[in-house]
mmCIF file with all atom_site columns, all heavy atoms in Angstrom:
data_model
loop_
_atom_site.group_PDB
_atom_site.id
_atom_site.type_symbol
_atom_site.label_atom_id
_atom_site.label_alt_id
_atom_site.label_comp_id
_atom_site.label_asym_id
_atom_site.label_entity_id
_atom_site.label_seq_id
_atom_site.pdbx_PDB_ins_code
_atom_site.Cartn_x
_atom_site.Cartn_y
_atom_site.Cartn_z
_atom_site.occupancy
_atom_site.B_iso_or_equiv
_atom_site.pdbx_formal_charge
_atom_site.auth_seq_id
_atom_site.auth_comp_id
_atom_site.auth_asym_id
_atom_site.auth_atom_id
_atom_site.pdbx_PDB_model_num
ATOM 1  N N   . TYR J 1 35  ? -17.599 -20.892 -26.774 1.00 0.00 ? 35  TYR J N   1
ATOM 2  C CA  . TYR J 1 35  ? -17.402 -19.786 -25.838 1.00 0.00 ? 35  TYR J CA  1
ATOM 3  C C   . TYR J 1 35  ? -18.263 -18.589 -26.218 1.00 0.00 ? 35  TYR J C   1
ATOM 4  O O   . TYR J 1 35  ? -17.982 -17.875 -27.167 1.00 0.00 ? 35  TYR J O   1
ATOM 5  C CB  . TYR J 1 35  ? -15.909 -19.383 -25.820 1.00 0.00 ? 35  TYR J CB  1
ATOM 6  C CG  . TYR J 1 35  ? -15.014 -20.426 -25.175 1.00 0.00 ? 35  TYR J CG  1
ATOM 7  C CD1 . TYR J 1 35  ? -14.597 -21.530 -25.895 1.00 0.00 ? 35  TYR J CD1 1
ATOM 8  C CD2 . TYR J 1 35  ? -14.650 -20.311 -23.829 1.00 0.00 ? 35  TYR J CD2 1
ATOM 9  C CE1 . TYR J 1 35  ? -13.812 -22.530 -25.301 1.00 0.00 ? 35  TYR J CE1 1
ATOM 10 C CE2 . TYR J 1 35  ? -13.881 -21.287 -23.225 1.00 0.00 ? 35  TYR J CE2 1
ATOM 11 C CZ  . TYR J 1 35  ? -13.458 -22.386 -23.971 1.00 0.00 ? 35  TYR J CZ  1
ATOM 12 O OH  . TYR J 1 35  ? -12.665 -23.364 -23.383 1.00 0.00 ? 35  TYR J OH  1
ATOM 13 N N   . ARG J 1 36  ? -19.324 -18.437 -25.478 1.00 0.00 ? 36  ARG J N   1
ATOM 14 C CA  . ARG J 1 36  ? -20.196 -17.255 -25.636 1.00 0.00 ? 36  ARG J CA  1
ATOM 15 C C   . ARG J 1 36  ? -19.660 -16.124 -24.766 1.00 0.00 ? 36  ARG J C   1
ATOM 16 O O   . ARG J 1 36  ? -20.336 -15.639 -23.873 1.00 0.00 ? 36  ARG J O   1
ATOM 17 C CB  . ARG J 1 36  ? -21.615 -17.607 -25.286 1.00 0.00 ? 36  ARG J CB  1
ATOM 18 C CG  . ARG J 1 36  ? -22.261 -18.668 -26.147 1.00 0.00 ? 36  ARG J CG  1
ATOM 19 C CD  . ARG J 1 36  ? -22.469 -18.188 -27.583 1.00 0.00 ? 36  ARG J CD  1
ATOM 20 N NE  . ARG J 1 36  ? -23.267 -16.948 -27.634 1.00 0.00 ? 36  ARG J NE  1
ATOM 21 C CZ  . ARG J 1 36  ? -23.542 -16.291 -28.734 1.00 0.00 ? 36  ARG J CZ  1
ATOM 22 N NH1 . ARG J 1 36  ? -23.014 -16.690 -29.898 1.00 0.00 ? 36  ARG J NH1 1
ATOM 23 N NH2 . ARG J 1 36  ? -24.271 -15.204 -28.721 1.00 0.00 ? 36  ARG J NH2 1
ATOM 24 N N   . LEU J 1 38  ? -15.616 -14.732 -22.960 1.00 0.00 ? 38  LEU J N   1
ATOM 25 C CA  . LEU J 1 38  ? -14.410 -15.407 -22.476 1.00 0.00 ? 38  LEU J CA  1
ATOM 26 C C   . LEU J 1 38  ? -13.713 -14.523 -21.430 1.00 0.00 ? 38  LEU J C   1
ATOM 27 O O   . LEU J 1 38  ? -13.663 -13.291 -21.559 1.00 0.00 ? 38  LEU J O   1
ATOM 28 C CB  . LEU J 1 38  ? -13.468 -15.656 -23.640 1.00 0.00 ? 38  LEU J CB  1
ATOM 29 C CG  . LEU J 1 38  ? -12.038 -16.169 -23.308 1.00 0.00 ? 38  LEU J CG  1
ATOM 30 C CD1 . LEU J 1 38  ? -12.121 -17.612 -22.777 1.00 0.00 ? 38  LEU J CD1 1
ATOM 31 C CD2 . LEU J 1 38  ? -11.165 -16.096 -24.526 1.00 0.00 ? 38  LEU J CD2 1
ATOM 32 N N   . GLY J 1 50  ? -2.841  -16.015 -25.181 1.00 0.00 ? 50  GLY J N   1
ATOM 33 C CA  . GLY J 1 50  ? -3.961  -15.127 -24.819 1.00 0.00 ? 50  GLY J CA  1
ATOM 34 C C   . GLY J 1 50  ? -4.497  -14.376 -26.007 1.00 0.00 ? 50  GLY J C   1
ATOM 35 O O   . GLY J 1 50  ? -5.721  -14.210 -26.168 1.00 0.00 ? 50  GLY J O   1
ATOM 36 N N   . PRO J 1 66  ? -18.543 -10.587 -24.975 1.00 0.00 ? 66  PRO J N   1
ATOM 37 C CA  . PRO J 1 66  ? -17.493 -9.955  -24.197 1.00 0.00 ? 66  PRO J CA  1
ATOM 38 C C   . PRO J 1 66  ? -16.269 -10.873 -24.050 1.00 0.00 ? 66  PRO J C   1
ATOM 39 O O   . PRO J 1 66  ? -16.430 -12.049 -23.776 1.00 0.00 ? 66  PRO J O   1
ATOM 40 C CB  . PRO J 1 66  ? -18.168 -9.697  -22.847 1.00 0.00 ? 66  PRO J CB  1
ATOM 41 C CG  . PRO J 1 66  ? -19.222 -10.754 -22.760 1.00 0.00 ? 66  PRO J CG  1
ATOM 42 C CD  . PRO J 1 66  ? -19.714 -10.990 -24.154 1.00 0.00 ? 66  PRO J CD  1
ATOM 43 N N   . ILE J 1 76  ? 6.241   -3.297  -16.101 1.00 0.00 ? 76  ILE J N   1
ATOM 44 C CA  . ILE J 1 76  ? 5.715   -2.801  -17.350 1.00 0.00 ? 76  ILE J CA  1
ATOM 45 C C   . ILE J 1 76  ? 6.606   -3.182  -18.521 1.00 0.00 ? 76  ILE J C   1
ATOM 46 O O   . ILE J 1 76  ? 6.136   -3.434  -19.635 1.00 0.00 ? 76  ILE J O   1
ATOM 47 C CB  . ILE J 1 76  ? 5.583   -1.262  -17.267 1.00 0.00 ? 76  ILE J CB  1
ATOM 48 C CG1 . ILE J 1 76  ? 4.569   -0.869  -16.198 1.00 0.00 ? 76  ILE J CG1 1
ATOM 49 C CG2 . ILE J 1 76  ? 5.122   -0.668  -18.612 1.00 0.00 ? 76  ILE J CG2 1
ATOM 50 C CD1 . ILE J 1 76  ? 4.457   0.629   -15.986 1.00 0.00 ? 76  ILE J CD1 1
ATOM 51 N N   . SER J 1 103 ? 5.066   -5.621  -9.753  1.00 0.00 ? 103 SER J N   1
ATOM 52 C CA  . SER J 1 103 ? 6.155   -4.806  -9.206  1.00 0.00 ? 103 SER J CA  1
ATOM 53 C C   . SER J 1 103 ? 6.303   -3.499  -10.006 1.00 0.00 ? 103 SER J C   1
ATOM 54 O O   . SER J 1 103 ? 6.268   -3.504  -11.217 1.00 0.00 ? 103 SER J O   1
ATOM 55 C CB  . SER J 1 103 ? 7.468   -5.602  -9.295  1.00 0.00 ? 103 SER J CB  1
ATOM 56 O OG  . SER J 1 103 ? 8.545   -4.857  -8.769  1.00 0.00 ? 103 SER J OG  1
ATOM 57 N N   . GLU J 1 105 ? 5.523   0.823   -10.744 1.00 0.00 ? 105 GLU J N   1
ATOM 58 C CA  . GLU J 1 105 ? 4.363   1.678   -11.014 1.00 0.00 ? 105 GLU J CA  1
ATOM 59 C C   . GLU J 1 105 ? 3.663   1.251   -12.319 1.00 0.00 ? 105 GLU J C   1
ATOM 60 O O   . GLU J 1 105 ? 4.244   0.521   -13.130 1.00 0.00 ? 105 GLU J O   1
ATOM 61 C CB  . GLU J 1 105 ? 4.799   3.116   -11.120 1.00 0.00 ? 105 GLU J CB  1
ATOM 62 C CG  . GLU J 1 105 ? 5.386   3.651   -9.807  1.00 0.00 ? 105 GLU J CG  1
ATOM 63 C CD  . GLU J 1 105 ? 4.413   3.581   -8.665  1.00 0.00 ? 105 GLU J CD  1
ATOM 64 O OE1 . GLU J 1 105 ? 3.240   3.901   -8.878  1.00 0.00 ? 105 GLU J OE1 1
ATOM 65 O OE2 . GLU J 1 105 ? 4.843   3.236   -7.532  1.00 0.00 ? 105 GLU J OE2 1
ATOM 66 N N   . ALA J 1 110 ? -7.210  3.687   -19.208 1.00 0.00 ? 110 ALA J N   1
ATOM 67 C CA  . ALA J 1 110 ? -7.946  4.502   -20.168 1.00 0.00 ? 110 ALA J CA  1
ATOM 68 C C   . ALA J 1 110 ? -8.938  3.641   -20.928 1.00 0.00 ? 110 ALA J C   1
ATOM 69 O O   . ALA J 1 110 ? -8.581  2.712   -21.620 1.00 0.00 ? 110 ALA J O   1
ATOM 70 C CB  . ALA J 1 110 ? -6.982  5.173   -21.182 1.00 0.00 ? 110 ALA J CB  1
ATOM 71 N N   . ASP J 1 176 ? 2.325   -22.285 -2.039  1.00 0.00 ? 176 ASP J N   1
ATOM 72 C CA  . ASP J 1 176 ? 2.864   -20.912 -2.245  1.00 0.00 ? 176 ASP J CA  1
ATOM 73 C C   . ASP J 1 176 ? 1.998   -20.101 -3.162  1.00 0.00 ? 176 ASP J C   1
ATOM 74 O O   . ASP J 1 176 ? 1.753   -18.920 -2.954  1.00 0.00 ? 176 ASP J O   1
ATOM 75 C CB  . ASP J 1 176 ? 4.296   -20.989 -2.798  1.00 0.00 ? 176 ASP J CB  1
ATOM 76 C CG  . ASP J 1 176 ? 5.282   -21.525 -1.808  1.00 0.00 ? 176 ASP J CG  1
ATOM 77 O OD1 . ASP J 1 176 ? 4.942   -21.552 -0.587  1.00 0.00 ? 176 ASP J OD1 1
ATOM 78 O OD2 . ASP J 1 176 ? 6.382   -21.938 -2.209  1.00 0.00 ? 176 ASP J OD2 1
ATOM 79 N N   . CYS J 1 227 ? 0.073   2.211   44.706  1.00 0.00 ? 227 CYS J N   1
ATOM 80 C CA  . CYS J 1 227 ? 1.500   2.322   44.365  1.00 0.00 ? 227 CYS J CA  1
ATOM 81 C C   . CYS J 1 227 ? 2.364   2.461   45.595  1.00 0.00 ? 227 CYS J C   1
ATOM 82 O O   . CYS J 1 227 ? 3.413   1.853   45.742  1.00 0.00 ? 227 CYS J O   1
ATOM 83 C CB  . CYS J 1 227 ? 1.714   3.513   43.408  1.00 0.00 ? 227 CYS J CB  1
ATOM 84 S SG  . CYS J 1 227 ? 0.926   3.312   41.850  1.00 0.00 ? 227 CYS J SG  1
ATOM 85 N N   . LEU J 1 232 ? 5.948   0.026   50.047  1.00 0.00 ? 232 LEU J N   1
ATOM 86 C CA  . LEU J 1 232 ? 6.160   -0.407  51.397  1.00 0.00 ? 232 LEU J CA  1
ATOM 87 C C   . LEU J 1 232 ? 6.339   -1.901  51.503  1.00 0.00 ? 232 LEU J C   1
ATOM 88 O O   . LEU J 1 232 ? 7.111   -2.389  52.321  1.00 0.00 ? 232 LEU J O   1
ATOM 89 C CB  . LEU J 1 232 ? 4.975   0.062   52.287  1.00 0.00 ? 232 LEU J CB  1
ATOM 90 C CG  . LEU J 1 232 ? 4.871   1.569   52.525  1.00 0.00 ? 232 LEU J CG  1
ATOM 91 C CD1 . LEU J 1 232 ? 3.566   1.859   53.280  1.00 0.00 ? 232 LEU J CD1 1
ATOM 92 C CD2 . LEU J 1 232 ? 6.079   2.102   53.292  1.00 0.00 ? 232 LEU J CD2 1
#
Side-chain angles (χ1 to χ4, degrees):
Y35 290 82
R36 297 293 303 177
L38 172 71
I76 297 176
S103 179
E105 298 300 318
D176 291 343
C227 294
L232 291 174

